[in-house]
Amino acid sequence: MQKSLSLLLIGALALFSCQQEKASEVTVTATKQNSLRAPAYPLVTVDPYFSAWHFSDKLYDEPVRHWTGTEFPLIGALRVDGQCYRFMGVEKLPMKEIIPTAATEKWDAQYTNNEPKGAWKELNYDASAWQEGKAAFGTRDEPNISTEWNTKDIWVRRTIELTEDLKDKDIFLDYSHDDVFELYINGIEVVKTGYVWKKNVLVQLSDEVKATLKPGKNIIVAHCFNTTGGSYVDFGLFEKEKNQDAFTTTAVQKSANVLPTQTFYTFECGPVELILVFTAPLLMDDLELMTRPVNYLTYQVKATDAKSHDVQIYFETTPQWAVNEESQPVNFEMIEDQNGLTYLKTGTIEQPVLQKRGDDLRMDWGYFYMSAKWDKNVEMNLGEYRAMKKEFAANGMISSDSTATSSEMKKEKTVLAYSRNLGQISSKSNNGFLMLGYDDLYSIQYFEKNLMPYWKKNGEVTIYQQFEKASKEYASIMKRCEAFNTDMIEETEKAGGQKYAELCALSYRQAIAAHKLVQDEAGDLLFFSKENFSNGSIGTVDVTYPSAPLFLVYNPNLLKGMLNPIFYYSESGKWTKPFAAHDVGTYPLANGQTYGGDMPVEESGNMLILTTAIAQIEGNADYAKKHWDVLTVWADYLIGEGLDPANQLCTDDFAGHFAHNTNLSIKAIMGVAGYGKLADMLGKKEIAAKYLSAAKEMAQKWETMANGGDHYKLTFDQSGTWSQKYNLVWDQMLGFKIFSTDIAQKEIAYYQTKQNKYGLPLDSRKTYTKSDWIIWTATMATNEKDFQALIDPIHTYANETTTRMPLSDWHETTDGKSVGFRARSVVGGYFMKMLDAKMKAKK
């Protein structure tokens, strides 16, 4: 019996090994081609923290970055017959410290909050009246603060002592600031910014500046103006040592192709072709898979010259994926051959779980992993920055023996590395994959309770189980992603044409990965958005509203997960106002609204419209029934306050407060009509008749009040103005039909007289626009020609913008540059035309 069990076990292990081997040999195929040159290419897309992008055309020209712009280093090289070709990332050895930043030394300085007189930028200036303090300077929520600064302005003088001449060295200024910043070295201007806030910016000093840096005393002075919110000042000098790069030769990138769930790159590495595929299996019909915090990096290698070549491949990353600030100490660990997988693991020593909130943040709790299937030709290890690459360049493999313990390793010089000997490569492709993952332990604090990510199942599932499933299911997941890519592009192309389909493919992962899915104690979904590159709000209703079309198309339960926190906030009595809240906090802390003002008509209208859209998609109003009391309060508020809105913000809050907003009025009317439709679906016929009649009456008044002749006005009281009436898109889509169809078509015709090269302005006040709203506006067109006329400039913008970052939804129509915002979920609004097609198919 014992022998039989042993044979059975051996057979099972052999079968498992065979399945794993077949999975690694799967060829991943791009069945569609996206002609767009992306503003940034999505590489790893899981959630707002575990998110990596490439901001330039060639994968080897720039470092991989988090969407905020902070570097998430990821380097790749292919060694062909002894010659290394770098195909991804850049080698950036941490530089030699000359004058430290506050990350390593609380340096001394003189400072004042009053504007100085005279030559305050010069070394010999008398600053004896200034205060003395230690860096960094700023508000308490910033890193490494020693001297608190809460006024509008600060001037800082730092006297530095040099022991050698720096004119023949490569010297860089490392500076961090919040907000408007200027800096001078020995009286020469080196930095002058506008209204931005950045950390650890590197600027190479000019020969002019270096010539002034003599042995002895020198002066660095800075002035920072805090526009609003947090404040910060820190700076230092560093030397870039002479080139010691191991991978000096780059591959030749032949193509880059962004599909909904995958990004494909093709490289020429001498006589060998490399196809690199980044896969994020964000399939919304499978929430366990969608939330699994593991992405794939697939490589496929073959010879192109009918000859055989000796080939090895190398990948490397660093602990920067697991910290918010580079100064944070980290641990390392290698876990070998655990159920067939090897892991390299890193995370901060401090582990400040859910201790920070805000926008420009990376996760510094939990653990980052690089993992791959154990194989005799694979080596994975932790090692020194230079040594690992040099060893691979020389030998084609890295050492299996770590040269230091985790306690001895220094974060800034330690890498997590993978190498595989592919052996002799011919015309037959040799394929493999590795996985990148993150265990965030706890994801969201929801009204003071810390919630685990959805995939953890309240702690029943471990990160290692997720990696094991990810490895075992690799082949099937690649097939599912391939099928989804094909279907989605074909469906969006059918709905809106090729350019529209390409925009949707670009926006798909960005929209989903700007969220985090958890469950409350009752098991209800909570799908929290993060208001990226804005104020960091969590669960913002007027971010949910534009992003909703994507989720209405693919999984309305996720949209419910966005609305649930707002419903709970009111129904629990925590929010007592007669209109919907704006948000439930600042990411990742959802403990109540933190936004400074309210948007009464905006958010109440949004909640009613989206609840109606869910009912329309699902064919029943069961979800609305659960929240009927609060929906009634909001509908009544809109009847009283919505037709001619008072001075207030709407979703386009960057444009400021204004009254009599005609587009906001449409939203209120749509909300009232939505409530009437929901009542009808629930059999509340008298209530339905009352509210639908009220909505129709409001619509009739709107048409008279807003009429501007050949178009409709921006505000009821200002002639000669205009605006996009994107909220009108719901009238036909949800079957209200309370506005004359002539209104939308008159607007569409007028808009085409106002377009610029990169799109239709939002309204008559400025030339900037919101691309999500343009697509909503275009969806109201009744013919393909008018739709394409509005869509084409958005495609041109995405293809040509010089602002390289994850797709910005707020840009200038004159030059195509971003005005603000990036990596936001609102690009889910690009799917409005797709939603319209789905709604029509249901009728």
Side-chain angles (χ1 to χ4, degrees):
M1 184 66 176
Q2 182 66 37
K3 183 177 181 180
S4 297
L5 286 173
S6 299
L7 289 172
L8 182 62
L9 179 59
I10 291 169
L13 288 172
L15 176 61
F16 177 77
S17 177
C18 180
Q19 289 173 337
Q20 293 289 289
E21 185 63 30
K22 288 181 180 178
S24 69
E25 292 178 354
V26 170
T27 297
V28 183
T29 306
T31 58
K32 297 290 180 178
Q33 184 66 40
N34 190 335
S35 68
L36 267 177
R37 180 238 58 182
Y41 290 85
L43 305 182
V44 175
T45 48
V46 174
D47 60 35
Y49 288 135
F50 192 32
S51 175
W53 300 71
H54 201 256
F55 287 35
S56 66
D57 292 340
K58 307 298 184 184
L59 190 57
Y60 43 71
D61 280 348
E62 290 283 341
V64 173
R65 301 178 185 275
H66 184 258
W67 64 260
T68 57
T70 297
E71 291 181 17
F72 271 13
L74 189 59
I75 291 175
L78 196 71
R79 187 173 183 268
V80 181
D81 299 329
Q83 171 65 54
C84 285
Y85 299 89
R86 176 170 46 83
F87 57 81
M88 176 169 60
V90 296
E91 295 181 62
K92 295 186 72 174
L93 181 68
M95 292 187 285
K96 177 182 176 182
E97 183 180 88
I98 298 176
I99 303 298
T101 63
T104 56
E105 181 182 312
K106 308 298 185 183
W107 48 268
D108 295 307
Q110 296 171 295
Y111 72 96
T112 182
N113 301 122
N114 301 313
E115 184 173 0
K117 306 296 183 182
W120 58 275
K121 304 168 189 174
E122 305 299 329
L123 176 64
N124 296 324
Y125 176 75
D126 181 9
S128 58
W130 291 28
Q131 300 179 70
E132 294 184 354
K134 291 183 178 293
F137 300 83
T139 47
R140 282 295 168 191
D141 55 345
E142 296 287 355
N144 306 310
I145 293 298
S146 291
T147 303
E148 197 163 355
W149 160 42
N150 291 309
T151 61
K152 282 293 184 183
D153 289 275
I154 191 169
W155 286 261
V156 177
R157 286 175 56 86
R158 181 181 185 182
T159 302
I160 60 174
E161 191 85 25
L162 297 177
T163 59
E164 59 180 330
D165 198 310
L166 301 181
K167 68 178 181 178
D168 295 324
K169 300 179 181 294
D170 288 334
I171 306 300
F172 286 76
L173 169 73
D174 181 325
Y175 69 93
S176 301
H177 67 103
D178 186 352
D179 298 305
V180 184
F181 187 68
E182 57 182 320
L183 181 144
Y184 304 82
I185 296 178
N186 290 330
I188 301 174
E189 181 182 292
V190 178
V191 177
K192 192 175 185 67
T193 77
Y195 175 38
V196 291
W197 52 99
K198 294 183 178 181
K199 299 286 176 61
N200 300 113
V201 181
L202 289 173
V203 173
Q204 187 168 8
L205 298 189
S206 68
D207 290 341
E208 179 190 12
V209 174
K210 288 191 297 181
T212 70
L213 290 169
K214 303 291 187 181
K217 289 185 177 182
N218 296 262
I219 188 73
I220 304 177
V221 299
H223 167 227
C224 194
F225 172 70
N226 181 32
T227 304
T228 186
S231 59
Y232 196 67
V233 170
D234 186 24
F235 49 83
L237 294 179
F238 294 81
E239 177 188 352
K240 181 180 180 182
E241 298 181 279
K242 297 304 179 183
N243 188 3
Q244 299 184 44
D245 292 351
F247 306 144
T248 55
T249 301
T250 63
V252 177
Q253 183 175 307
K254 308 301 288 186
S255 65
N257 183 20
V258 178
L259 300 182
T261 63
Q262 295 173 308
T263 300
F264 289 78
Y265 288 94
T266 302
F267 301 95
E268 181 183 283
C269 302
V272 168
E273 177 187 81
L274 166 66
I275 296 176
L276 194 66
V277 188
F278 294 87
T279 301
L282 297 174
L283 304 179
M284 285 186 271
D285 62 348
D286 184 343
L287 295 184
E288 181 182 339
L289 177 60
M290 186 195 86
T291 60
R292 181 180 293 162
V294 178
N295 275 196
Y296 300 95
L297 208 175
T298 300
Y299 52 87
Q300 302 175 163
V301 183
K302 67 178 182 180
T304 57
D305 62 354
K307 296 180 181 179
S308 181
H309 299 278
D310 186 39
V311 179
Q312 299 83 34
I313 196 163
Y314 175 89
F315 292 97
E316 164 193 297
T317 186
T318 78
Q320 284 167 262
W321 288 66
V323 299
N324 179 50
E325 297 289 340
E326 289 190 45
S327 59
Q328 292 176 280
V330 296
N331 277 328
F332 302 88
E333 183 179 2
M334 182 165 68
I335 304 168
E336 295 185 84
D337 195 12
Q338 178 170 294
N339 294 330
L341 295 176
T342 296
Y343 300 88
L344 300 177
K345 173 184 177 182
T346 186
T348 61
I349 294 172
E350 181 187 6
Q351 289 296 304
V353 178
L354 295 169
Q355 293 300 302
K356 298 180 180 69
R357 66 176 190 177
D359 184 34
D360 186 9
L361 296 175
R362 274 72 42 202
M363 182 170 286
D364 57 2
W365 69 92
Y367 297 93
F368 169 76
Y369 295 82
M370 175 188 281
S371 179
K373 191 179 62 154
W374 181 88
D375 184 282
K376 65 180 181 181
N377 293 314
V378 169
E379 294 293 350
M380 297 180 69
N381 210 346
L382 305 162
E384 197 271 334
Y385 189 93
R386 289 192 189 95
M388 296 294 265
K389 286 182 278 294
K390 287 186 175 181
E391 185 176 13
F392 176 79
N395 306 317
M397 292 294 283
I398 59 175
S399 171
S400 60
D401 298 320
S402 178
T403 57
T405 65
S406 65
S407 61
E408 294 172 333
M409 292 180 180
K410 295 183 178 180
K411 172 178 65 66
E412 67 271 16
K413 292 186 178 180
T414 302
V415 298
L416 296 74
Y418 163 101
S419 68
R420 181 182 170 205
N421 184 3
L422 300 176
Q424 293 296 308
I425 295 295
S426 61
S427 58
K428 181 182 178 181
S429 182
N430 190 331
N431 308 332
F433 69 94
L434 62 148
M435 298 171 287
L436 301 178
Y438 207 107
D439 181 0
D440 57 357
L441 307 180
Y442 289 91
S443 302
I444 300 292
Q445 187 174 99
Y446 185 54
F447 293 102
E448 310 304 332
K449 182 176 177 59
N450 291 352
L451 300 180
M452 292 182 178
Y454 178 87
W455 62 266
K456 270 187 179 289
K457 302 298 181 185
N458 292 318
E460 296 176 6
V461 179
T462 70
I463 188 67
Y464 301 109
Q465 290 171 319
Q466 289 288 8
F467 269 108
E468 288 165 19
K469 290 187 72 173
S471 179
K472 184 178 180 180
E473 298 171 0
Y474 172 77
S476 64
I477 288 172
M478 293 302 113
K479 290 178 182 177
R480 289 174 66 184
C481 288
E482 179 182 316
F484 180 80
N485 292 343
T486 301
D487 291 346
M488 197 200 97
I489 289 178
E490 289 179 354
E491 289 169 358
T492 49
E493 189 167 348
K494 180 179 179 182
Q498 180 183 344
K499 291 181 178 179
Y500 174 69
E502 291 182 342
L503 288 167
C504 288
L506 176 62
S507 64
Y508 181 81
R509 277 175 280 170
Q510 175 173 318
I512 300 171
H515 295 83
K516 190 71 179 185
L517 186 65
V518 296
Q519 290 176 287
D520 64 17
E521 291 178 305
D524 291 328
L525 296 179
L526 304 172
F527 194 42
F528 287 107
S529 64
K530 179 177 183 294
E531 200 165 339
N532 288 343
F533 212 69
S534 179
N535 57 12
S537 289
I538 186 171
T540 304
V541 181
D542 58 289
V543 169
T544 294
Y545 179 68
S547 69
L550 171 63
F551 304 100
L552 284 165
V553 169
Y554 290 108
N555 190 341
N557 286 326
L558 290 172
L559 179 55
K560 293 177 189 177
M562 295 184 224
L563 304 185
N564 284 339
I566 300 296
F567 278 125
Y568 171 76
Y569 196 16
S570 283
E571 291 164 349
S572 66
K574 298 177 188 296
W575 177 262
T576 59
K577 297 178 182 180
F579 46 80
H582 170 272
D583 61 79
V584 288
T586 302
Y587 199 93
L589 308 183
N591 295 321
Q593 180 171 309
T594 53
Y595 187 73
D598 296 325
M599 298 186 188
V601 173
E602 173 70 37
E603 311 303 18
S604 300
N606 291 340
M607 293 296 291
L608 282 156
I609 292 168
L610 295 181
T611 304
T612 308
I614 289 170
Q616 180 83 348
I617 282 286
E618 294 188 332
N620 65 75
D622 293 350
Y623 183 68
K625 186 177 180 180
K626 290 173 59 178
H627 305 291
W628 193 249
D629 290 347
V630 72
L631 288 170
T632 302
V633 172
W634 295 339
D636 288 343
Y637 181 85
L638 293 180
I639 286 179
E641 305 292 337
L643 175 60
D644 189 7
N647 187 37
Q648 60 190 279
L649 293 172
C650 68
T651 182
D652 306 313
D653 55 354
F654 49 82
H657 290 73
F658 65 106
H660 317 299
N661 182 341
T662 59
N663 189 45
L664 186 58
S665 175
I666 293 172
K667 179 170 288 184
I669 298 168
M670 294 293 99
V672 173
Y675 181 81
K677 182 181 179 71
L678 291 169
D680 185 64
M681 294 177 74
L682 291 170
K684 303 175 185 290
K685 300 301 180 182
E686 290 186 11
I687 295 175
K690 174 185 174 182
Y691 284 84
L692 286 170
S693 176
K696 290 176 182 177
E697 182 180 345
M698 292 168 78
Q700 290 170 358
K701 291 180 179 178
W702 184 96
E703 184 171 2
T704 300
M705 295 163 61
N707 199 328
D710 60 350
H711 69 284
Y712 293 87
K713 294 178 282 188
L714 166 68
T715 64
F716 292 123
D717 62 334
Q718 294 184 44
S719 297
T721 62
W722 63 273
S723 64
Q724 291 188 48
K725 308 301 188 299
Y726 52 81
N727 288 316
L728 192 58
V729 71
W730 298 109
D731 188 41
Q732 295 296 315
M733 193 180 298
L734 296 179
F736 303 148
K737 300 181 180 179
I738 58 176
F739 283 90
S740 168
T741 56
D742 293 342
I743 294 174
Q745 298 322 302
K746 182 189 287 189
E747 288 287 277
I748 293 294
Y750 185 79
Y751 296 152
Q752 292 181 60
T753 70
K754 297 296 181 181
Q755 288 210 104
N756 292 318
K757 179 179 180 180
Y758 296 107
L760 174 67
L762 184 64
D763 57 49
S764 53
R765 292 173 294 175
K766 300 282 187 178
T767 55
Y768 58 56
T769 195
K770 290 282 272 83
S771 55
D772 48 341
W773 296 145
I774 291 179
I775 293 178
W776 287 40
T777 296
T779 300
M780 296 189 293
T782 56
N783 61 75
E784 183 180 355
K785 179 182 178 183
D786 287 344
F787 176 79
Q788 296 299 337
L790 293 167
I791 292 297
D792 284 0
I794 301 304
H795 188 276
T796 302
Y797 152 68
N799 198 55
E800 296 182 2
T801 180
T802 57
T803 310
R804 305 306 298 270
M805 61 189 186
L807 188 61
S808 171
D809 53 285
W810 181 21
H811 72 269
E812 264 294 346
T813 61
T814 53
D815 60 15
K817 293 181 179 179
S818 169
V819 179
F821 305 154
R822 70 171 71 162
R824 302 206 315 156
S825 64
V826 301
V827 295
Y830 285 20
F831 286 78
M832 182 57 90
K833 183 66 173 176
M834 181 73 168
L835 177 62
D836 183 52
K838 184 171 183 176
M839 291 286 199
K840 287 175 179 175
K842 289 179 66 69
K843 294 178 181 177

